[in-house]
Amino acid sequence: MSGRETAARIADLRRRLDDASHRYHVLDDPDIPDAEYDAMLRELDELEAAHPEFADPNSPTQRVGFAASGRFEPVAHAVPMLSLANAFTDEEVADFVARIEKETGDAAPRFSAEPKLDGLAISLRYEGGAFVRGATRGDGATGEDVSANLRTIKSIPLKLRGAAPEVLEVRGEVYMPRAGFEQYNARARELGDKPLANPRNGAAGSLRQLDSRITAQRPLAFYAYALGEVSGALPATHSEVLRWLRGLGFAVSPLVDVVEGTDGLLAYYRNVGAQRDELPYDIDGVVYKLDRFDQQRAMGFVSRAPRWAIAHKFPAQEAATTVESIEVNVGRTGAVTPWVLMAPVHVGGVNVTRATLHNADQVARLDVRKGDTIIVRRAGDVIPEVVRVIGERRPLDASGQPLHAPYQLPTHCPDCGSAVEREAGEVVARCTGGLVCPAQRKQALIHFASRRAIDIEGLGERFVDALVEFGYVHGIADLYRLTVEDLVEMKQRSDEAAGVVPETVKAGKVATRWAENLVAAIDASRSTTLERLLFALGIRDVGESTAKVLARHFGALAPLMAADEEALKDVPDVGPVVAARIAHFFAEPHNREAIAALQAAGMHWSEGAPQRAADGPLAGKTVVLTGGLAAMSRDEAGARLEALGAKVSGSVSRKTSLVVAGEAAGSKLAKARELGLEIWDEAALLAFLAAYA
Ligand code: JCF
């Protein structure tokens, strides 16, 4: 290539790379594949290395950053960088609008409105359409030159698009999108590095790096929102300036709008506020600016803040407070959730005293202790959570050691005293108390009484709540001791508590009839089957089909309760995880007591000799189930076939004895046909099962 050709190729590559980068980082509308971008960048890099005479600090190759320069030089802002007055209430916004209406004499002035990003204010200077310098706000008059770091931010144009004025200073916010912040922190935690406190600190810290190669690794972005020094004529309004800046290649918030009147401003505030949690970046309010520049000039300034603009703040989502104690809550599934009781704090617009710690891993990661000063966050309607501990404020004893030891999750449930256990690979620790744990009791009772379990007609969620609430029922066995009088009394108390008054003779009769029916239904449920009982006990991961298989395999409750994990693993369909759960359940003394209490209350279930699957009609046969069945789930069909001696397999091969093909069976059925195997439809299966039931 001749020198001229090389120069042309370099210029062409730079233009194409700039275009691609603008489409990707500013317009969010990429048009070439990453690989193509990378190939062009590599070619440009090689050409620039071979021809240093064509070097340009604004070349796309320069966005990778370079080694430390020593320190940041001061930069005097030709036009001072402003700060904004704040409004926290609707009244303050109304006052702002009224003041402007009065002083401009305009009855309906227009305002440009935009979200207020929570990042770092920056001024960018362009000369002849090329980026020359960028600086932080500093004290508004003098900032620091962080050009090398700013060059690494892909949404900051290094060359302006189209006709640019000779001198142009653009102000805006450098911010770290939430997704990038989360990714950065996830990686930092993996590497054992210090995570960033929040996206704002992330942006500020990243721009303060002396080695811009580090900045280049940080996920930063930029939105333009104002001008500094500009040569030549300007549009007449702020909203037109924003449109003009977009045309020059800057990213401008897509949420900017022009609004009128206090109502218009407040509607904008509420609309953006409603989107706050879903936005890809943090915002702490919205900014209203009088749109017409001539009106801005008429309003002027007080100290360094313009009188023509105001920041309307959202309630802070983070606040500091202190930990009074760490507690745990046991949920309806036994999940043990640690949380902190805190000194009351105003956050996210409300006063709170509790914040969640989610789980034991989170407690360990944050290392929250009693007495600590913590940052809590409440975004939208979500439960407040602990974000971090301010380590410097941890209370110490006389010898300088922390006053309190690291917090440990309790080993026993605070509600029932049963062991709290956490299985390998699980985040959540659980109370093993099952039926006896009051926290889990309501849920356990509802499940126990449900139609497919013990089936107590008329005992729904509402009455279970009241029975537990008023203390009539503690464990499941208490159900079998309830009398008509108990139930009538309970209903009366529950109605009173709900504010229901009708104490008529008729109401009394209705209540008695209801109670008699319920007692009869409970009485009828005393006689059940082992498989229903096993399902009703609510052992984790023991659904109806596993309950059935267990009942068939053991034939009676006693041998099942005596079985260890090894013996349980021999049961068809029961893997190591479920075997461990079953063994755990029956090892828990509270659960054994609950079962004994059921028997003492007269509950009984059909027990028989265990079915000898080895002698079953399908002994030695391998069956594959495919497609959907109408009468039962595939799992249930599999369990029933196994109970008759079959081995149920997931794939069809020459060794398959029989394929049961349900609705919409596909490739397995085709393969079975190909191999000439015996194939049953659902009707054949049901007929066979009925014959051996
Ligand atoms: O998003 C912001 N943080 C933000 C700050 C937006 C603006 O339009 C601003 C600002 C600070 C000063 N405008 C001025 C004049």
Side-chain angles (χ1 to χ4, degrees):
M1 261 195 277
S2 71
R4 184 119 50 89
E5 281 167 346
T6 304
R9 180 66 182 153
I10 286 176
D12 183 49
L13 285 168
R14 284 177 182 166
R15 192 185 45 74
R16 285 163 63 181
L17 285 161
D18 275 340
D19 276 351
S21 178
H22 176 251
R23 291 195 64 125
Y24 187 98
H25 295 283
V26 176
L27 304 181
D28 202 11
D29 178 26
D31 64 341
I32 61 164
D34 289 356
E36 201 172 308
Y37 182 92
D38 292 342
M40 287 199 287
L41 192 64
R42 217 171 315 119
E43 184 187 348
L44 178 59
D45 214 17
E46 282 161 13
L47 283 173
E48 288 178 352
H51 301 277
E53 66 274 23
F54 297 128
D56 179 346
N58 289 334
S59 167
T61 56
Q62 302 305 298
R63 290 199 187 265
V64 293
F66 46 88
S69 52
R71 67 183 202 101
F72 301 122
E73 298 296 328
V75 176
H77 298 298
V79 175
M81 286 184 78
L82 307 173
S83 53
L84 295 171
N86 289 325
F88 295 96
T89 64
D90 292 1
E91 290 67 43
E92 286 169 322
V93 174
D95 290 348
F96 166 74
V97 173
R99 200 156 58 234
I100 286 176
E101 284 171 356
K102 177 156 172 271
E103 292 186 32
T104 59
D106 183 346
R110 289 155 67 81
F111 292 87
S112 175
E114 63 186 277
K116 183 171 183 295
L117 270 84
D118 208 2
L120 204 74
I122 285 294
S123 185
L124 306 168
R125 186 176 175 93
Y126 295 82
E127 293 176 4
F131 175 72
V132 291
R133 190 164 51 252
T136 59
R137 178 175 178 280
D139 62 5
T142 307
E144 289 180 317
D145 185 338
V146 287
S147 306
N149 291 334
L150 293 170
R151 276 204 175 84
T152 68
I153 300 174
K154 308 279 204 333
S155 51
I156 293 181
L158 298 178
K159 294 202 180 109
L160 300 181
R161 314 174 70 76
E166 183 47 35
V167 173
L168 173 69
E169 281 183 8
V170 174
R171 270 94 194 252
E173 202 84 354
V174 166
Y175 64 95
M176 184 176 279
R178 269 184 215 149
F181 166 78
E182 299 294 350
Q183 267 163 23
Y184 178 90
N185 273 0
R187 211 174 135 59
R189 279 195 283 275
E190 246 167 54
L191 299 174
D193 290 346
K194 195 171 150 48
L196 302 168
N198 55 46
R200 200 202 112 76
N201 286 16
S206 301
L207 279 188
R208 212 157 287 130
Q209 296 294 325
L210 284 168
D211 185 338
S212 54
R213 289 171 304 189
I214 295 175
T215 314
Q217 304 305 314
R218 303 283 172 87
L220 298 176
F222 176 82
Y223 269 145
Y225 55 64
L227 296 175
E229 185 186 349
V230 187
S231 59
L234 278 182
T237 63
H238 181 70
S239 51
E240 284 169 273
V241 162
L242 294 181
R243 256 196 303 280
W244 178 60
L245 288 174
R246 267 202 193 112
L248 290 170
F250 292 94
V252 173
S253 170
L255 297 176
V256 296
D257 201 357
V258 175
V259 291
E260 252 182 56
T262 303
D263 290 349
L265 271 55
L266 295 180
Y268 180 82
Y269 175 82
R270 301 204 210 300
N271 179 22
V272 173
Q275 299 175 56
R276 186 184 190 188
D277 295 330
E278 276 75 51
L279 293 176
Y281 39 77
D282 281 357
I283 60 174
D284 59 358
V286 298
V287 180
Y288 314 121
K289 293 179 178 175
L290 187 56
D291 202 33
R292 270 169 53 181
F293 288 134
D294 61 332
Q295 293 183 330
Q296 287 189 2
R297 277 189 291 276
M299 292 300 296
F301 294 83
V302 268
S303 68
R304 247 175 294 147
R307 296 180 68 241
W308 42 263
I310 202 160
H312 190 185
K313 303 293 279 278
F314 292 130
Q317 289 181 317
E318 291 190 1
T321 183
T322 51
V323 176
E324 293 185 346
S325 63
I326 302 177
E327 312 285 340
V328 295
N329 181 34
V330 184
R332 301 205 303 177
T333 60
V336 173
T337 306
W339 54 277
V340 292
L341 182 65
M342 326 175 282
V345 61
H346 194 74
V347 63
V350 296
N351 275 313
V352 297
T353 54
R354 292 161 180 234
T356 183
L357 284 163
H358 298 294
N359 53 54
D361 281 350
Q362 180 78 344
V363 175
R365 195 170 74 65
L366 297 172
D367 184 20
V368 182
R369 308 187 193 185
K370 189 176 170 178
D372 275 350
T373 298
I374 53 169
I375 301 295
V376 283
R377 180 181 174 86
R378 180 181 177 274
D381 285 333
V382 304
I383 303 166
E385 60 176 4
V386 179
V387 181
R388 65 182 179 279
V389 171
I390 302 181
E392 303 85 66
R393 298 217 208 143
R394 172 161 287 167
L396 303 175
D397 64 16
S399 62
Q401 292 305 303
L403 199 55
H404 301 283
Y407 175 78
Q408 299 286 339
L409 221 56
T411 54
H412 289 84
C413 174
D415 285 334
C416 73
S418 303
V420 167
E421 283 175 10
R422 184 171 161 195
E423 289 170 19
E426 283 256 352
V427 202
V428 174
R430 286 176 201 275
C431 163
T432 53
L435 294 182
V436 290
C437 180
Q440 299 169 67
R441 197 181 298 146
K442 278 185 196 168
Q443 193 58 23
L445 280 164
I446 290 163
H447 173 72
F448 183 83
S450 67
R451 199 173 50 77
R452 307 182 69 156
I454 298 301
D455 191 14
I456 304 178
E457 213 188 316
L459 188 62
E461 194 156 340
R462 214 175 97 222
F463 294 123
V464 167
D465 268 5
L467 285 170
V468 174
E469 216 70 70
F470 293 110
Y472 289 90
V473 169
H474 297 277
I476 40 177
D478 296 334
L479 286 174
Y480 293 97
R481 297 195 197 94
L482 288 171
T483 63
V484 171
E485 293 70 43
D486 286 340
L487 288 173
V488 170
E489 185 186 276
M490 178 216 79
K491 191 164 189 315
Q492 200 176 329
R493 286 172 68 180
S494 140
D495 283 350
E496 272 166 26
V500 179
V501 246
E503 241 327 303
T504 63
V505 178
K506 186 153 178 278
K509 270 193 193 150
V510 170
T512 306
R513 179 121 35 84
W514 164 80
E516 283 168 356
N517 286 342
L518 188 50
V519 168
I522 292 172
D523 196 37
S525 78
R526 274 198 171 85
S527 172
T528 188
T529 62
L530 179 57
E531 58 190 56
R532 275 185 183 266
L533 176 76
L534 291 176
F535 175 56
L537 289 174
I539 307 166
R540 267 184 85 209
D541 283 350
V542 176
E544 278 175 287
S545 66
T546 307
K548 202 166 284 184
V549 173
L550 288 169
R552 289 243 167 87
H553 186 88
F554 289 99
L557 188 58
L560 168 56
M561 287 176 72
D564 61 10
E565 274 182 55
E566 284 311 309
L568 285 161
K569 273 192 272 186
D570 288 342
V571 180
D573 259 14
V574 173
V577 173
V578 180
R581 293 212 164 123
I582 298 168
H584 262 110
F585 182 89
F586 289 116
E588 177 59 58
H590 290 307
N591 291 333
R592 302 179 77 95
E593 284 160 22
I595 290 164
L598 281 178
Q599 283 172 307
M603 196 169 187
H604 55 93
W605 44 87
S606 52
E607 298 197 342
Q611 193 122 27
R612 304 230 101 246
D615 315 332
L618 293 175
K621 301 225 187 252
T622 302
V623 181
V624 173
L625 290 153
T626 181
L629 300 175
M632 66 186 84
S633 70
R634 264 213 314 261
D635 279 352
E636 187 180 350
R640 293 181 62 174
L641 291 168
E642 277 174 344
L644 298 176
K647 177 172 181 291
V648 174
S649 160
S651 58
V652 175
S653 74
R654 256 170 238 293
K655 290 193 193 133
T656 308
S657 328
L658 169 67
V659 173
V660 177
E663 193 63 31
S667 61
K668 289 183 195 175
L669 175 58
K671 186 154 183 205
R673 288 206 176 108
E674 206 176 289
L675 294 171
L677 301 176
E678 185 176 352
I679 299 169
W680 291 4
D681 60 10
E682 180 167 356
L685 171 73
L686 293 179
F688 183 83
L689 292 176
Y692 287 96

